[in-house]
């Protein structure tokens, strides 16, 4: 495909010229939701990009069908579809494809699973790259990983299977993705500086030059691979701990009869106060993993370090939050003297773990639904406006629907679990009209209902929520 | 003094006119560091203010001597001194003085002491006001207190001792001070909106009108006294928890050989990341109290609520931080093979609990010094640039000095405990020159030394710090 020029070498002028002339062939390994964003950013800036993914056929099919399932961000879909076959190619991880690339940008899942960090996919990818890479190429890891992973795993595998020396024959860099799905393309290209690090000065130089071309806010150098790896994790742990704090303060507020959301908004008018939003749980594939990456690493050095405690307790609080929401619903049903769980219809609003995006990985709503099922509830529906089809079978007889009215109709319990903007249009009256039930429980996990009103004297409505005390309307 | 007009009444027009014409006589009860700021803000806006404090004679003496000890903020000192005897008066809490006032702004200490909230000063003040207040006055509490305190303590005492009814005969409001000492006047008058709440609509109206005249950013209404009380506490708890998180992450960083301060700076370039600064401990009279106010209140409703856990663990982490610094110093001395603690001279840089202000209440440096004393160290000095005299005897044979050279001279251990800006001028070479010791330990608790350099081959310097691994220079 491209001329067999050497990209990574001491000839910095040549390196810069190759970048400037877009002669560097970029491989993005892992075309998941973030990988697709990185690929589209390089395409947007004029590079030729090969996306490498085992799901190659599925991806190509989605591109050809112009399916929205390819990616939730319009700009990413548009770029990938328009570039396909011209500047953008999708391949399976085949030796001849791998060996053709100048840069390997690796974004594959590294997760906490069964009490250890699962780096198997990263190992596999590092091995196949190592076996096929050319001298003068650059390896960049973007996945969030425990500090030391780029050096101990990727570098090691690359050297072992290539027989070459990292730093000398090829570059090794780490540059964390730190974008937020839903606006990730914009975050990457326009909004945040990119953090870069290298195993040696030349690797750093290479990754810096490359990303300076793509990222408008420029790059920031970290002094070591480990510093950059650590940096990404602490951004996430900060968030996880602060959501746990918000969940805790919300519970205290509801105990003492204060509306947490009002207090939070007031407190945050002080410029150093950034109190987070509580909710029904923390989902996704980031926040639930990062704390364990740090905790397990700290334990290697100091088995019982106090330094793990706050991170651990925050994680426990957040992972128990769905269970607590279920307890609140049962508390509310007791107050309404509804005992026949079998005939209670529950409508959970929102399947995505975050508002206004579609991402159901680690969704608290699924956990809540399963836990309700265990308690004997049989009619559980989840509404999700961003489903690509009408219904989605989630197993355990739990069905997600795109139809809001279908979900609410005849429901005794309405639980708002995701802060999709469309739920702001709901009010007590509208819910009551749709539900047509005489006894209803509305539990607002995301402060979506702004006005509480009495609908009619005959309907008994109990309203509560995360950070809100129970109120009979 | 002023005409005996009724300030607090349903005649809103009259209330507004009295404020506009500055006919409202303001009493500030408690002329401590924050009370003095509030008094000066009202004076600045043209009101007549009576400061009420048991230390009346001391305060008047400081004003007359133009002493800097009156207040650390130049603008506050200037206003109080210039207004004294004209618009500003200082009195002891005498009945005839109290009964003359239209507004009582109360800023007295409410602290966590011996496992309970000590409201004794607030009770005393509320009683004396209750006994002497006129119909038509307004009571405003500004101290940080557990939610419910204004209603249960102040309202109750005022009604009981006045025989009048709160809301009807006099107003009761809560409006938290939320300024930061060192720039508190600016925070209050120019930088933050003021949160106000009232026991009834009329009290809210009164406090709102009053503060709208003083605070350029205007006021924000909280829907209840308790919401406003809660709001202030969560601002503080957010900070305490995030400092504990920073201390924890800093420890993990130092274990794995990453400089926490570098990672923190990089992480915070992501606009949703606000990772705090770690340090040698949290001092002052705010942060160490607020968590307990919330914890003890939560326990009233739910004895073992999970909602306390993260707040409690954060408090434990922060209150143990000085002890951990002492352990690090001993670890370092072991590495340098210095065993004769008696002859080790230790210089602690900074006595104030926060940089660039003078406030030694709850100072971690004092705790560190005492703990070192217990371990057998005998030559402990603390440097504090903001001392008003040359030396300050802190008891336990610990002396603070204003003389930096005196502190460092001959020291084997330099501990940077406070981030006073002047310490940024220190570098390894300068410290070494001042100390003239062959074996030295520098422990940087606040990331003040930016460049590490080898001074000479004969001097053995061990450098470490909060969020930094040990390094031999």
């Amino acid at each position: 495909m491209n001329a067999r020029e050497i990209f990574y070498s001491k000839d910095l002028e040549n390196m810069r010229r190759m970048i400037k002339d877009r002669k560097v062939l970029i491989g993005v390994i892992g075309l998941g939701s973030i990988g697709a964003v990185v690929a589209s950013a390089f395409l947007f800036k004029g590079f030729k990009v090969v996306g490498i993914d085992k799901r190659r056929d599925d991806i190509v099919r989605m591109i050809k069908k112009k399916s929205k399932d390819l990616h939730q961000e319009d700009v990413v879909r548009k770029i990938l579809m328009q570039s396909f076959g011209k500047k953008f190619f999708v391949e399976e991880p085949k030796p001849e494809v791998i060996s053709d690339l100048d840069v390997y940008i690796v974004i594959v899942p590294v997760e906490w699973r069964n009490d250890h960090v699962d780096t198997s996919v990263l190992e596999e990818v590092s091995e196949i790259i190592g076996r096929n890479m050319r001298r003068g190429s650059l390896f960049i890891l973007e996945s969030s990983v425990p500090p030391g992973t780029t050096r101990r795993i990727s570098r090691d595998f690359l050297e072992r299977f290539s027989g070459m020396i990292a730093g000398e024959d090829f570059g090794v860099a780490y540059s964390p993705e730190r974008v937020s799905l839903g606006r990730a393309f914009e975050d990457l290209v326009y909004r945040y500086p990119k953090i870069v690090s290298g195993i040696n000065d030349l690797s750093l130089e290479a990754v810096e030059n490359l990303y300076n071309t793509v990222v408008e806010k420029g790059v920031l150098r970290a002094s070591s691979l480990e510093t950059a790896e650590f940096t990404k994790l602490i951004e996430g742990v900060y968030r996880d701990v602060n959501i746990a704090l918000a969940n805790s303060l919300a519970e205290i507020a509801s105990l003492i009869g204060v509306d947490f959301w009002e207090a939070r908004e007031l407190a945050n008018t002080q410029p150093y106060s950034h109190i987070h939003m509580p909710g029904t749980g923390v989902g996704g594939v980031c926040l639930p993993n990062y704390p364990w990456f740090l905790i397990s690493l700290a334990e290697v050095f100091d088995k019982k370090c106090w330094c793990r405690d706050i991170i651990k307790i925050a994680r426990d609080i957040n992972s128990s939050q769905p269970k607590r929401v279920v307890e609140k619903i049962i508390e509310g049903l007791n107050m309404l003297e509804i005992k026949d769980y079998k005939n209670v219809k529950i409508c959970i609003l929102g399947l995505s773990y975050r508002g206004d995006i579609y991402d159901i990985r680690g969704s608290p709503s699924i956990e809540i639904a399963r836990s309700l099922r265990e308690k004997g509830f049989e009619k559980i529906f989840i509404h999700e406006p961003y489903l690509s089809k009408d219904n989605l079978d989630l197993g355990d007889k739990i069905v997600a629907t795109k139809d809001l009215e279908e979900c609410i109709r005849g429901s005794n319990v309405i639980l708002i679990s995701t802060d999709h903007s469309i739920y702001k249009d709901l009010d007590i009256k509208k819910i009551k009209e749709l539900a047509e039930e005489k006894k209803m429980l509305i539990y607002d996990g995301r402060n979506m209902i702004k006005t509480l009103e009495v609908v009619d004297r005959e309907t008994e409505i109990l309203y509560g929520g995360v950070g809100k005390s129970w109120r009979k309307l």
Side-chain angles (χ1 to χ4, degrees), chain A:
Chain A
M1 278 164 127
N2 68 334
R4 299 219 151 241
E5 283 188 79
I6 294 280
F7 170 64
Y8 176 87
S9 79
K10 281 174 189 157
D11 186 349
L12 286 181
E13 221 165 287
N14 184 59
M15 184 191 281
R16 289 190 192 120
R17 186 190 49 77
M18 282 181 72
I19 292 173
K20 193 162 164 274
D21 297 346
R22 306 301 191 250
K23 287 203 170 167
V24 188
L25 182 60
I26 307 288
V28 174
I29 293 86
L31 273 185
S33 47
I34 304 294
V37 171
V38 173
S40 62
F42 275 91
L43 287 165
F44 179 66
K45 294 288 181 175
F47 287 89
K48 196 191 252 193
V49 175
V50 182
I52 297 186
D53 202 298
K54 284 186 177 168
R55 301 165 305 142
R56 187 245 167 215
D57 292 348
D58 285 347
I59 294 168
V60 170
R61 198 175 305 122
M62 284 189 277
I63 292 176
K64 290 191 171 159
K65 277 175 57 189
K66 301 200 178 302
S67 163
K68 278 207 157 196
D69 291 341
L70 179 66
H71 201 271
Q72 61 187 283
E73 293 182 30
D74 294 344
V75 59
V76 173
R77 256 188 353 258
K78 205 173 146 188
I79 291 171
L80 296 185
M81 287 175 185
Q82 284 179 349
S83 313
F84 185 69
K86 297 171 211 139
K87 290 233 162 199
F88 178 48
F89 305 89
V90 184
E91 301 283 356
E92 290 195 354
K94 287 180 294 194
E96 66 274 21
V97 176
I98 305 273
S99 66
D100 210 34
L101 300 166
D102 298 304
V103 174
Y104 304 90
I105 300 180
V106 176
I107 312 174
V108 295
V110 174
E111 286 177 24
W112 181 257
R113 220 190 293 270
N114 306 325
D115 286 335
H116 78 286
V117 183
D118 181 355
T119 51
S120 56
V121 181
L122 180 62
E123 289 173 25
E124 194 186 318
V125 162
S126 301
E127 176 177 339
I128 194 166
I129 295 174
R131 284 191 191 279
N132 298 289
M133 73 198 301
R134 280 183 292 132
R135 206 183 144 83
S137 54
L138 173 67
F139 175 95
I140 308 171
L141 182 60
E142 300 234 356
S143 309
S144 302
V145 294
T149 303
T150 310
R151 196 183 301 272
R152 285 183 304 95
I153 293 180
S154 291
R155 194 266 309 262
D156 184 57
F157 274 64
L158 292 171
E159 286 191 337
R160 197 186 326 160
F161 292 104
S162 70
M164 296 191 285
I165 293 170
E168 285 295 311
D169 303 309
F170 61 93
V172 174
Y174 179 77
S175 177
E177 64 82 2
R178 45 184 205 154
V179 295
S180 188
L181 217 55
R183 47 152 216 263
F185 182 86
E186 216 186 295
D187 283 352
L188 176 59
V189 178
Y190 301 110
R191 293 187 65 214
Y192 304 164
K194 191 101 171 79
I195 293 167
V196 294
S197 63
I199 203 163
N200 62 341
D201 287 348
L202 194 54
S203 296
L204 183 57
E205 195 77 36
V207 67
E208 181 173 22
N209 277 297
L210 196 64
Y211 265 117
N212 256 332
T213 319
V214 175
V215 174
E216 310 258 317
K217 283 275 167 82
V219 302
L220 296 171
R221 289 173 166 224
S223 64
S224 69
L225 297 169
E226 287 72 17
T227 301
E229 291 166 328
F230 182 74
T231 294
K232 175 59 202 287
L233 297 186
I234 64 175
E235 284 178 29
V237 168
Y238 165 79
R239 222 173 129 63
D240 198 46
V241 167
N242 276 284
I243 293 170
L245 173 61
N247 285 334
S248 303
L249 294 174
E251 177 67 10
I252 296 177
S254 77
L255 289 175
I256 66 175
V258 162
D259 185 306
F260 176 72
W261 302 83
E262 184 197 354
R264 173 184 176 269
E265 207 178 309
L266 289 169
N268 285 349
T269 60
Q270 193 258 73
Y272 303 101
S273 182
H274 304 280
I275 298 166
H276 283 45
M277 283 192 284
T280 54
V282 169
V285 289
C286 301
L287 297 200
N289 286 314
Y290 303 169
W292 294 114
F293 288 1
L294 281 189
I295 291 166
S296 59
L297 187 61
E299 286 175 351
V300 171
F301 294 88
D302 184 353
K303 191 83 196 100
K304 295 189 180 288
C305 187
W306 59 273
C307 56
R308 307 160 308 160
D309 298 351
I310 191 168
I311 304 170
K312 215 166 177 171
I313 212 151
R315 190 84 287 280
D316 286 347
I317 288 170
N318 288 340
S319 65
S320 308
Q321 192 72 352
K323 208 179 60 202
R324 270 185 228 114
V325 169
V326 170
E327 283 164 13
K328 295 277 183 189
I329 288 172
I330 285 172
E331 186 180 299
L333 288 174
N334 281 339
M335 289 170 75
L336 284 172
E337 293 178 342
I338 296 177
K339 305 242 154 97
D340 179 17
Y341 294 169
K342 265 192 174 179
N343 286 310
V344 168
K345 180 178 170 187
I346 297 183
C347 164
I348 300 173
L349 297 179
L351 177 59
S352 285
Y353 75 88
R354 197 150 61 76
D356 296 333
I357 63 160
Y358 184 68
D359 194 339
I360 69 169
R361 292 174 294 178
S363 161
S365 298
I366 297 178
E367 217 181 312
I368 290 169
R370 292 211 175 115
S371 166
L372 286 165
R373 175 76 68 215
E374 278 169 24
K375 302 261 181 202
F377 293 88
E378 296 194 351
K379 301 180 193 166
I380 304 167
F381 295 80
I382 305 180
H383 172 254
E384 174 52 48
Y386 291 99
L387 282 186
S388 60
K389 43 191 179 178
D390 287 343
N391 293 293
L392 179 65
D393 187 348
L394 295 160
D396 297 327
K397 291 191 270 176
I398 300 159
V399 176
T401 169
K402 221 175 159 172
D403 186 337
L404 182 60
E405 294 194 18
E406 186 194 323
C407 187
I408 297 183
R409 195 175 305 124
S411 284
N412 312 93
V413 177
I414 310 289
L415 162 65
I416 308 180
S417 184
T418 309
D419 48 353
H420 288 315
S421 298
I422 57 153
Y423 298 142
K424 284 186 193 147
D425 297 337
L426 288 172
D427 55 32
I428 302 289
K429 203 168 151 233
K430 202 174 248 168
I431 292 174
K432 157 66 190 143
E433 277 168 14
L434 287 172
E436 285 177 41
E437 289 295 311
K438 288 293 170 208
K439 277 187 178 186
M440 284 186 63
L441 175 68
I442 300 173
Y443 193 77
D444 190 349
R446 304 280 179 176
N447 191 37
M448 297 306 276
I449 295 180
K450 302 294 177 189
T451 321
L452 299 183
E453 69 228 291
V454 178
V455 178
D456 58 56
R457 293 283 157 215
E458 282 138 55
T459 310
E460 205 182 333
I461 298 180
L462 184 63
Y463 175 85
V466 173
K468 290 164 189 288
S469 314
W470 290 114
R471 248 172 101 160
K472 292 219 176 189
L473 300 181

